[in-house]
Amino acid sequence: MEDYYSGLYTDFYELTMAQAFFFSEKRNSSAIFDLYFRSNPFKGGYGIFAGLEDAINGVLQFSFEKNDLDYLASIGFRNEFLDYLADFRFSGNIHGFREGDIVFANDPLLRVESSILEAQLIESMLLNIINYQTLIATKATRAVFAAKGRDVVDFGLRRAQSMGAIAATRAAYIGGAKGTSNTFAAKRYHIPAVGTHAHSWIQSFDSELEAFRKYAEIYPDHTTLLVDTYSTLKSGVPHAIQVAKELAEKGHQLRAIRLDSGDLAYFSKKARNLLDKAGLENVKIVASNQLDEKLIASLLEQNAPIDIFGVGTRLVTGGEQSALDGIYKLSSIGDVPTLKLSENEEKINFPGKKKVVRYTNGDGMFAIDGVLLADESEEQIQMLRHPSIEFKKTRIVQEGLAIEQVFFPFVEKGAIVAPFPALENVRQFSRERFALLPDEHKRFVNPHIYRVGLSNRLFELRRNLIEEGQSHG
Amino acid sequence: MEDYYSGLYTDFYELTMAQAFFFSEKRNSSAIFDLYFRSNPFKGGYGIFAGLEDAINGVLQFSFEKNDLDYLASIGFRNEFLDYLADFRFSGNIHGFREGDIVFANDPLLRVESSILEAQLIESMLLNIINYQTLIATKATRAVFAAKGRDVVDFGLRRAQSMGAIAATRAAYIGGAKGTSNTFAAKRYHIPAVGTHAHSWIQSFDSELEAFRKYAEIYPDHTTLLVDTYSTLKSGVPHAIQVAKELAEKGHQLRAIRLDSGDLAYFSKKARNLLDKAGLENVKIVASNQLDEKLIASLLEQNAPIDIFGVGTRLVTGGEQSALDGIYKLSSIGDVPTLKLSENEEKINFPGKKKVVRYTNGDGMFAIDGVLLADESEEQIQMLRHPSIEFKKTRIVQEGLAIEQVFFPFVEKGAIVAPFPALENVRQFSRERFALLPDEHKRFVNPHIYRVGLSNRLFELRRNLIEEGQSHG
């Protein structure tokens, strides 16, 4: 469970292409690739960019050990190329968004500049890390948004996609989760570990009351009691109240009860009522059981008095959307802008070396992202254009927008140039950034589409290359 | 990327419960847990049991290093318990299905017998491993079934859930995939690595033809050409044919072309036609692009002449179902059978120490699984009962069914008692077992439900415990 990436953690075709580049005149051709997604996850209005630190560390660790090279030799790779791989270290540049920032479809999230061979080798690993963590950080932010200030904690380990669980917890924390049941990830990432006991604890004793008492005796100040083993309202909650009173007599306080089945709106209201009547207003209610952002929103619309939401399967796997379709497209080769044609105009990438600038309203709220050619001065951009629709233009000056830098260097000539903030600070940064996104982009159903526009030069470059390309082949 | 499981790879509540058991009189109580799922994945008729070797290795590795214990101490665990964890090794027994076998909802997949403390600590890890690999092996088998003898290969790394990619490839191979793009997993598990080149290879050259020629020059006997960079039919396929002829002149053969966009049925037919007209009947067609079992079935219904299906995202994440809801339920404590009640009768588990027997028809085809109490002699079972519906009974003898053993010991007193077969053999075993499942359970829409019945004694035990439990609490 080491946090280390092998050079073999790549699609095989990256290696066959790399060898082909190695033996061709293209070996040292400079290339630029953009990593981005074309649709926001969950049909939502935004994404939370996550996985950056792991991705950068992965790129810089990316190398081949003796037994990796032996393996590649055994399946036909040539010695001269393997000698090259033996010394492989990424030596290019990576720019992009800061981890935790709010990002949108068509924003270049990362820009990789290096020889085509190097850029190609790290592709699969970058996508593997960024796609997943961005998906899960976004899912977490949606759940936290739905919870309106109540806590959301990650309970997903047992249903996570194998060791993906570790990155899931990291990403969920960036997205706003408060804690995790995944103890390994809690330790690695300094995230609060949370949890209480299972039904099996109750079943192990002759009675629920005895089981509750025993647990409270061992954790007098940290007890959450699971109340739905027999009957939530006839047995679980009354027994929890009894134990809470016994704890109070000894100067302790029951922390919470947990509901893990049944109609959570109904049971939470009934349980809250019983607790309050017993003077236990401070005892919180934790709810879990196949929750996601939509169920949380529904529970709160019904005024369910739930304080903490334990979100598992659907948080760590993404639920109905289990992958972010992030892609990595060549936008320049040998310093010449390029693009990949497609029958579907929206799928044609943006050519050239680019950067992203964010424009904000007078109140600092995000208004529009501008994708510019890297040598353009953002101060001189008057207008941003819709990527495809000719007449759609945003006049920056007339709208009174201010420029904000969102695209930064992380790796230059193979070395890290910006230290990584502590994960807690990434989480805090993400919360602050999310507050600057206007509400109409946050709703779950038909969110307002955030604009990502192109500079006029980029728009024209793309149009010209499309026309050229159609006569090409 | 080590294949090693930390003792912290567990839900936090397993640790808090373990400490509570440690300081209670239940510390050494014997317990039995069953790991199983209640609904077949993908609304299908079966599951492919996978993850066993990783799970067993994980259980036997499960231990705590000094820095794990320091971490637990820092968040309040007590020294006496930490001393116990310092020497922790699982010392119980694990029985279950062989890896690769066909399994069904309500079959106990694994039976764990140990002290309750030990059994509880390993719960989350077991579920994390088995849930995911079983999900993906099942998904792979569905895709392979749809492909009717054509090859299915795993292209999922870039969209997989982070390092879940490694287990995904392993499980997909068990389920029948022929190869993988994930080079790390290919090496670890001795799975054929497959892949060719990306669009970026083509874009790196002045023309598609030049790019094809260069690739074929470097891999004269292993070239698959991606033909959809510019125009599949006007440019890609004609250029591939030209290169194939040039290769043939030098005594080599183009292996395949690959389609990665557009209408795969339409383009594969047109491409096949062009290839055949050029005398290139041996050049295969590989297709990829958001495929899954249903799209494969649809393509073949349309007679798309595709030889190899590259399946990515939806294979390695499960697509629309991204988790298997496998559970781990206490069925015996202190040698006394127990169950967990639920408002939903189908959710109430099967109590006691059990085993599974499979009954087959005269032709060896699977007919019904029997869940029996472990001390029952399967030879003497006359009848199996539906778990809930009183009148539904299967009379074993009258149906002329034969007994097959499917439930085996893997760990006894903490030591492995059955060597693991090579993964290739697990895959082969799974293919053979799948052939013994009647076709009506294999279809995707409304598959016939395979019967999993209870012995009469187990049925009565469960009914009695439910009645007792309702007056309990």
Side-chain angles (χ1 to χ4, degrees), chain B residues 340-412:
Chain B
K340 158 78 178 75
L341 290 178
S342 168
E343 298 296 317
N344 184 341
E345 192 274 341
E346 287 172 12
K347 284 193 167 187
I348 300 175
N349 62 308
F350 303 151
K353 179 170 176 174
K354 301 175 295 295
K355 61 184 174 186
V356 194
V357 175
R358 181 157 290 166
Y359 295 88
T360 60
N361 287 315
D363 54 3
M365 301 294 279
F366 302 162
I368 181 170
D369 282 8
V371 184
L372 282 51
L373 288 167
D375 61 3
E376 291 187 279
S377 159
E378 47 269 31
E379 279 77 16
Q380 288 167 21
I381 298 291
Q382 302 286 319
M383 170 183 85
L384 291 171
R385 304 190 60 165
H386 187 284
S388 334
I389 304 174
E390 185 80 27
F391 75 87
K392 282 201 174 180
K393 296 169 186 172
T394 300
R395 295 184 193 281
I396 303 300
V397 186
Q398 274 144 291
E399 290 201 18
L401 300 177
I403 294 170
E404 191 193 47
Q405 298 302 331
V406 289
F407 206 70
F408 294 91
F410 296 113
V411 174
E412 285 181 358

Side-chain angles (χ1 to χ4, degrees), chain A residues 11 128, chain B residues 153-160 165 180-181 311-313 315-316:
Chain A
D11 280 321
N128 174 265
Chain B
V153 295
D154 154 33
F155 280 178
L157 173 61
R158 63 188 55 201
R159 304 277 167 74
T180 182
S181 70
V311 188
T313 312
L315 171 60
V316 300

Side-chain angles (χ1 to χ4, degrees), chain A residues 1-2 4-6 8-17 19-21 23-26 33 67-68 71-72 75 77-78 116 120 123-124 127-128 131-132 135 157-167 181-184 186-187 191 193-201 203-208 210 214-215 218-219 228-230 235 239 258 290 313 316-320 322-327 329-330 333 338-341 469 472-473, chain B residues 1-2 4-6 8-17 19-21 23-26 33 67-68 71-72 75 77-78 116 120 123-124 127-128 131-132 135 157-167 181-184 186-187 191 193-201 203-208 210 214-215 218-219 228-230 235 239 258 290 313 316-320 322-327 329-330 333 338-341 469 472-473:
Chain A
M1 310 189 90
E2 242 184 301
Y4 156 79
Y5 287 91
S6 160
L8 295 186
Y9 197 63
T10 189
D11 280 321
F12 189 65
Y13 83 168
E14 315 283 13
L15 288 161
T16 54
M17 265 193 290
Q19 175 165 268
F21 280 124
F23 288 110
S24 81
E25 70 278 17
K26 300 291 175 185
F33 281 85
N67 61 21
D68 299 329
Y71 167 71
L72 293 175
I75 56 173
F77 283 84
R78 305 185 199 168
I116 181 129
Q120 203 75 69
E123 171 184 16
S124 310
L127 286 168
N128 174 265
N131 273 335
Y132 179 53
L135 181 81
L157 173 61
R158 64 188 53 201
R159 304 276 167 75
Q161 299 207 335
S162 187
M163 287 205 192
I166 301 171
S181 71
N182 180 339
T183 318
F184 183 86
K187 174 184 176 232
I191 298 170
V194 296
T196 170
H197 63 78
H199 296 115
S200 54
W201 172 264
Q203 286 174 262
S204 302
F205 290 82
D206 289 337
S207 77
E208 188 179 51
E210 185 190 344
K214 195 70 191 176
Y215 205 78
I218 292 169
Y219 302 106
D228 65 350
T229 303
Y230 299 108
S235 157
H239 286 151
R258 179 157 79 98
Q290 301 291 343
T313 311
V316 300
T317 68
E320 78 279 10
S322 51
L324 177 68
D325 286 347
I327 49 182
K329 291 290 175 192
L330 182 66
I333 177 77
T338 181
L339 50 70
K340 158 79 178 74
L341 289 177
H472 196 80
Chain B
M1 311 191 90
E2 241 184 301
Y4 157 79
Y5 287 91
S6 160
L8 295 186
Y9 198 62
T10 188
D11 280 319
F12 189 64
Y13 83 169
E14 315 283 13
L15 289 161
T16 54
M17 266 193 290
Q19 175 166 267
F21 280 124
F23 288 110
S24 81
E25 71 277 18
K26 300 290 175 186
F33 281 85
N67 61 21
D68 299 329
Y71 167 71
L72 293 175
I75 55 173
F77 283 84
R78 305 185 199 169
I116 181 130
Q120 202 76 70
E123 171 184 17
S124 310
L127 286 169
N128 175 265
N131 273 335
Y132 180 53
L135 181 81
L157 173 61
R158 63 188 55 201
R159 304 277 167 74
Q161 300 207 336
S162 187
M163 287 205 192
I166 301 170
S181 70
N182 180 339
T183 318
F184 183 87
K187 174 184 176 231
I191 298 171
V194 296
T196 170
H197 63 78
H199 296 115
S200 54
W201 173 264
Q203 287 174 263
S204 302
F205 290 82
D206 289 337
S207 77
E208 188 179 51
E210 185 190 344
K214 195 71 192 176
Y215 205 79
I218 293 169
Y219 302 105
D228 65 350
T229 303
Y230 300 108
S235 157
H239 287 150
R258 178 158 79 98
Q290 302 291 342
T313 312
V316 300
T317 68
E320 78 279 9
S322 50
L324 177 67
D325 286 347
I327 49 182
K329 291 289 175 192
L330 182 66
I333 177 78
T338 181
L339 50 70
K340 158 78 178 75
L341 290 178
H472 196 79

Side-chain angles (χ1 to χ4, degrees), chain A residues 230-430:
Chain A
Y230 299 108
S231 163
T232 299
L233 298 177
K234 288 186 203 145
S235 157
V237 176
H239 286 151
I241 288 172
Q242 189 170 338
V243 169
K245 288 181 176 169
E246 291 167 9
L247 276 172
E249 280 167 22
K250 294 174 200 147
H252 301 290
Q253 194 190 302
L254 179 66
R255 194 160 56 176
I257 62 167
R258 179 157 79 98
L259 303 167
D260 188 42
S261 61
D263 185 318
L264 296 174
Y266 173 81
F267 283 116
S268 63
K269 286 178 196 176
K270 292 285 184 187
R272 183 76 271 161
N273 199 20
L274 292 172
L275 289 167
D276 289 353
K277 274 192 188 154
L280 296 167
E281 291 85 356
N282 291 327
V283 174
K284 294 189 168 170
I285 297 180
V286 183
S288 53
N289 192 19
Q290 301 291 343
L291 294 179
D292 64 9
E293 68 272 35
K294 288 171 188 168
L295 284 169
I296 291 172
S298 162
L299 286 166
L300 294 182
E301 267 166 34
Q302 297 167 73
N303 298 311
I306 294 166
D307 303 288
I308 299 166
F309 294 95
V311 188
T313 311
R314 297 184 194 179
L315 172 59
V316 300
T317 68
E320 78 279 10
Q321 182 179 340
S322 51
L324 177 68
D325 286 347
I327 49 182
Y328 185 80
K329 291 290 175 192
L330 182 66
S331 61
S332 174
I333 177 77
D335 296 325
V336 179
T338 181
L339 50 70
K340 158 79 178 74
L341 289 177
S342 168
E343 297 296 317
N344 184 341
E345 191 275 340
E346 287 171 12
K347 283 193 168 187
I348 300 175
N349 62 309
F350 303 152
K353 179 171 176 174
K354 300 174 297 295
K355 61 184 174 186
V356 194
V357 175
R358 181 157 290 166
Y359 295 88
T360 60
N361 287 315
D363 54 2
M365 301 294 280
F366 302 162
I368 181 169
D369 282 8
V371 184
L372 282 51
L373 288 167
D375 62 3
E376 290 188 279
S377 158
E378 47 269 31
E379 280 77 15
Q380 288 168 20
I381 298 291
Q382 303 286 318
M383 172 183 82
L384 291 171
R385 305 190 59 164
H386 187 283
S388 334
I389 303 174
E390 185 81 26
F391 75 87
K392 282 201 174 181
K393 297 170 185 172
T394 299
R395 293 183 195 282
I396 303 299
V397 186
Q398 274 143 291
E399 289 201 18
L401 300 178
I403 294 170
E404 191 193 48
Q405 298 301 332
V406 289
F407 206 69
F408 294 91
F410 296 113
V411 175
E412 284 181 358
K413 294 186 180 167
I416 290 179
V417 294
F420 297 116
L423 198 67
E424 198 184 331
N425 297 336
V426 173
R427 180 179 183 277
Q428 184 55 34
F429 171 69
S430 193

Side-chain angles (χ1 to χ4, degrees), chain B residues 56-245:
Chain B
I56 298 290
N57 283 333
V59 167
L60 299 186
Q61 286 162 359
F62 195 91
S63 58
F64 298 84
E65 295 178 3
K66 174 82 172 62
N67 61 21
D68 299 329
L69 300 170
D70 291 346
Y71 167 71
L72 293 175
S74 77
I75 55 173
F77 283 84
R78 305 185 199 169
N79 286 336
E80 211 181 325
F81 176 61
L82 296 176
D83 288 346
Y84 166 81
L85 288 187
D87 296 325
F88 182 87
R89 287 289 173 174
F90 179 75
S91 67
N93 306 329
I94 302 179
H95 286 61
F97 278 87
R98 287 161 294 181
E99 187 157 17
D101 207 349
I102 317 302
V103 293
F104 306 94
N106 287 328
D107 272 336
L109 305 179
L110 290 180
R111 182 185 81 202
V112 175
E113 298 167 87
S114 66
S115 73
I116 181 130
L117 197 166
E118 291 188 22
Q120 202 76 70
L121 275 177
I122 63 171
E123 171 184 17
S124 310
M125 191 199 61
L126 278 179
L127 286 169
N128 175 265
I129 296 171
I130 299 288
N131 273 335
Y132 180 53
Q133 291 200 36
T134 298
L135 181 81
I136 302 308
T138 308
K139 189 75 173 174
T141 292
R142 289 165 64 86
V144 169
F145 176 69
K148 298 184 175 175
R150 292 159 192 84
D151 288 353
V152 170
V153 295
D154 154 33
F155 280 178
L157 173 61
R158 63 188 55 201
R159 304 277 167 74
Q161 300 207 336
S162 187
M163 287 205 192
I166 301 170
T169 296
R170 181 182 189 279
Y173 185 64
I174 291 174
K178 269 255 176 167
T180 182
S181 70
N182 180 339
T183 318
F184 183 87
K187 174 184 176 231
R188 175 179 285 179
Y189 298 119
H190 308 288
I191 298 171
V194 296
T196 170
H197 63 78
H199 296 115
S200 54
W201 173 264
I202 310 294
Q203 287 174 263
S204 302
F205 290 82
D206 289 337
S207 77
E208 188 179 51
L209 184 59
E210 185 190 344
F212 281 2
R213 278 192 178 128
K214 195 71 192 176
Y215 205 79
E217 182 188 319
I218 293 169
Y219 302 105
D221 296 310
H222 300 92
T223 285
T224 295
L225 296 172
L226 180 60
V227 294
D228 65 350
T229 303
Y230 300 108
S231 163
T232 299
L233 298 177
K234 288 185 202 145
S235 157
V237 176
H239 287 150
I241 288 172
Q242 190 169 338
V243 170
K245 288 181 175 168

